[in-house]
Amino acid sequence: MYKINFEKPVHVHFIGIGGISMSGLAKVLLKEGFTISGSDNKRSALTEQLEGAGATIFYGQKASNIIEGIDVVVYTAAIHADNEEYKAAVDKGLYMLKRSQLLGQLMRNYDIPIAVSGTHGKTTTTSMLTHILLAADTDPTISVGGILNAIGGNIRVGNSEIFVTEACEYTNSFLEFFPKISIVLNIDEDHLDFFKDLEDIRRSFRRFAELLPADGFLVINGDIENLDGIINGLSCKVITYGTDTALDYSAVNISHNELGNASFDLIKKGDFIKQITLSVNGDHNVSNALAALAVADLLDISVEESAEGLKKFRGTKRRFEYKGEVNGITIIDDYAHHPTEIRASLMAARHYPHREIWCIFQPHTYTRTKALFHEFVDALSYTDHIILADIYAARETDTLGISSEDIAKSLCESGMDAYYLPSFEKIEAFCLEKCKKGDMLITMGAGDVVNIGDALLKQ
């Protein structure tokens, strides 16, 4: 496999350079002196940033984009063998790297590569850890799967030996990584278009944990079921966190202020360390903060600096993000698209000032909707009113005989005030008619449901 060497910059071409992760990798290489080109289907803020930094961007994926001088081509899982740009690169005999392989290669250029994994919470935890590292003046390099104001985007290139990135389990991409410290936040049933079942997912996380060297560290949620199956026999040091004070790190006396933001007492090996105050809400974020605190402690960052960093973290875009108000209605947007995430976000919303909670949910992929149908119905019952938008197909085309209307019907049968509406325009008009002053309206999902809130705020 081709190996990226910061000491020998070459010309790297990205097919799909406008994605949140691909653009971040391109930015890292640009700042390390590499020549960067790439293609994407359309112009965006991310592609314009790259052009401004010196990258050559082609719009539309064509064979002619594979120009002379390219040394290696990077592509995403969304690029298939019949893609004409991909085929042109293969025909020219160029080195080919998957996005995950490039990310793994980048890790080899740092002494302390940190990988944040888990079915949920990767972006938030990576962002929390980023705030801690910045508060401690460690000058890290960061690759985060969202837009974080503290670093002015999705990437930060530092000058220290610390490199932090999210590590996604989908298509086993995180098995291409070379971490020294890994976090496992949770292991739930998801991505069933790739994995067979939960046990298959657990096997993948076990293999991810086995990547750590003997002098490495696994920071893992001690509340994960059948934890021993993940950690027994590992050569690395295992550090646990969670709700039980018998774990290495835990939180007690959790409380929420008038905005729903959480505070808790940090406990290390049974001893009180410090009260930690967050500027984000939800008990799930207390858990995420514990993971970040554990890693910070490994890096010898003081708890005072960690507490300062966490208090400054006010969330990332599309993670329970306050968007504004219209007619006295508070608009929140949230990326949650798995039942566990939905339940956590809706429970967190209860601590936020509101009269009643309206949730507009857009399911993400037919496969996930069909496989976790009953779990979706249960999770969506944690709101006062629920509106279902059509399923966002993403990479899929087969409907599998499932629809958003099926979820709405099942919720109605359970006594919920649930609706299915076939277009964003109808949903917007319905919300303006039904929502009252003091209500909270949450747009929720990993697709383009965010556009509904944006449209309402323009009314």
Side-chain angles (χ1 to χ4, degrees):
M1 183 191 303
Y2 184 89
K3 293 184 179 179
I4 292 292
N5 183 351
F6 282 2
E7 300 300 319
K8 296 179 179 179
V10 295
H11 183 167
V12 182
H13 181 83
F14 291 78
I15 305 177
I17 198 169
I20 192 75
S21 177
M22 291 279 274
S23 63
L25 295 174
K27 289 176 185 175
V28 172
L29 294 181
L30 273 169
K31 292 194 176 182
E32 293 293 340
F34 286 70
T35 300
I36 299 299
S37 61
S39 66
D40 212 86
N41 288 327
K42 60 183 180 180
R43 185 178 298 274
S44 69
L46 290 174
T47 61
E48 289 176 354
Q49 288 172 14
L50 287 167
E51 287 178 306
T56 299
I57 309 295
F58 302 97
Y59 293 99
Q61 291 172 353
K62 304 180 291 292
S64 59
N65 296 342
I66 304 301
I67 56 178
E68 290 300 317
I70 293 173
D71 296 291
V72 59
V73 173
V74 182
Y75 61 98
T76 70
I79 302 300
H80 302 296
D82 60 353
N83 179 285
E84 67 170 275
E85 189 171 336
Y86 176 92
K87 286 197 298 182
V90 171
D91 291 343
K92 286 192 174 185
L94 298 176
Y95 290 108
M96 307 293 288
L97 286 178
K98 293 184 290 186
R99 180 201 63 85
S100 56
Q101 290 172 327
L102 172 61
L103 188 48
Q105 292 297 327
L106 288 186
M107 285 183 167
R108 290 184 177 275
N109 291 276
Y110 296 86
D111 289 342
I112 310 174
I114 302 170
V116 182
S117 78
T119 318
H120 331 287
K122 293 183 289 294
T123 296
T124 296
T125 306
T126 302
S127 300
M128 286 180 166
L129 184 55
T130 296
H131 272 262
I132 290 173
L133 294 170
L134 293 177
D137 293 324
T138 60
D139 198 15
T141 295
I142 306 290
S143 175
V144 62
I147 302 301
L148 182 62
N149 289 335
I151 60 174
N154 61 323
I155 197 76
R156 180 188 192 275
V157 181
N159 294 301
S160 75
E161 291 303 318
I162 298 175
F163 177 77
V164 184
T165 183
E166 295 183 32
C168 183
E169 75 278 10
Y170 185 56
T171 69
N172 282 330
S173 63
F174 63 179
L175 299 184
E176 307 279 1
F177 291 3
F178 300 92
K180 186 72 173 287
I181 300 173
S182 291
I183 295 175
V184 176
L185 298 166
N186 36 61
I187 304 175
D188 280 335
E189 204 170 26
D190 199 10
H191 298 306
L192 296 175
D193 57 330
F194 176 77
F195 295 108
K196 295 177 182 177
D197 51 28
L198 181 58
E199 281 308 306
D200 192 23
I201 297 169
R202 286 175 55 84
R203 283 192 292 271
S204 185
F205 274 94
R206 167 69 190 197
R207 291 170 64 195
F208 174 66
E210 290 172 345
L211 297 175
L212 288 161
D215 60 346
F217 297 89
L218 176 66
V219 175
I220 188 166
N221 188 339
D223 295 328
I224 292 172
E225 289 188 14
N226 303 316
L227 184 67
D228 288 348
I230 306 296
I231 65 174
N232 278 0
L234 293 176
S235 61
C236 66
K237 169 82 171 178
V238 177
I239 296 168
T240 57
Y241 70 92
T243 57
D244 190 336
T245 54
L247 299 171
D248 294 315
Y249 297 87
S250 58
V252 300
N253 299 325
I254 299 172
S255 61
H256 304 269
N257 67 12
E258 67 279 1
L259 292 177
N261 297 339
S263 295
F264 62 93
D265 290 345
L266 173 63
I267 306 297
K268 179 181 178 182
K269 297 185 183 298
D271 295 328
F272 170 80
I273 301 299
K274 185 177 179 62
Q275 185 182 61
I276 304 294
T277 300
L278 305 181
S279 298
V280 290
N281 60 6
D283 290 347
H284 61 296
N285 277 325
V286 172
S287 180
N288 293 335
L290 283 174
L293 286 161
V295 171
D297 202 15
L298 282 175
L299 299 175
D300 294 324
I301 294 172
S302 71
V303 69
E304 288 75 19
E305 289 171 321
S306 293
E308 177 191 348
L310 285 173
K311 193 167 186 179
K312 288 181 179 178
F313 172 65
R314 299 185 181 278
T316 58
K317 288 189 179 298
R318 302 226 59 210
R319 271 69 177 181
F320 209 84
E321 179 189 4
Y322 172 82
K323 302 285 290 187
E325 290 189 10
V326 58
N327 300 337
I329 304 160
T330 299
I331 307 292
I332 301 289
D333 181 58
D334 196 275
Y335 189 71
H337 56 285
H338 182 281
T340 301
E341 299 165 347
I342 294 165
R343 185 180 300 107
S345 291
L346 292 177
M347 290 181 70
R350 295 179 177 184
H351 296 290
Y352 198 93
H354 67 277
R355 191 185 72 90
E356 291 187 339
I357 300 173
W358 290 79
C359 178
I360 305 168
F361 178 62
Q362 180 187 43
H364 190 260
T365 74
Y366 300 106
T367 303
R368 183 183 286 114
T369 305
K370 187 174 182 67
L372 303 176
F373 180 86
H374 297 293
E375 290 86 347
F376 277 116
V377 171
D378 177 70
L380 291 168
S381 67
Y382 283 78
T383 185
D384 297 312
H385 313 277
I386 179 72
I387 303 166
L388 274 298
D390 280 326
I391 294 171
Y392 188 82
R395 55 189 173 267
E396 298 180 346
T397 55
D398 186 0
T399 66
L400 301 177
I402 197 74
S403 71
S404 293
E405 191 170 11
D406 295 331
I407 299 177
K409 286 179 179 177
S410 187
L411 283 164
C412 287
E413 289 169 1
S414 69
M416 280 291 298
D417 186 37
Y419 307 86
Y420 161 73
L421 295 170
S423 71
F424 283 7
E425 292 77 12
K426 289 183 182 297
I427 292 174
E428 291 159 18
F430 182 84
C431 290
L432 289 172
E433 176 188 350
K434 296 292 186 180
C435 295
K436 307 297 182 186
K437 183 177 181 180
D439 286 350
M440 183 197 310
L441 176 64
I442 308 174
T443 56
M444 185 175 287
D448 55 359
V449 67
V450 60
N451 294 339
I452 294 175
D454 292 340
L456 288 172
L457 290 169
K458 294 176 182 177
Q459 297 290 326

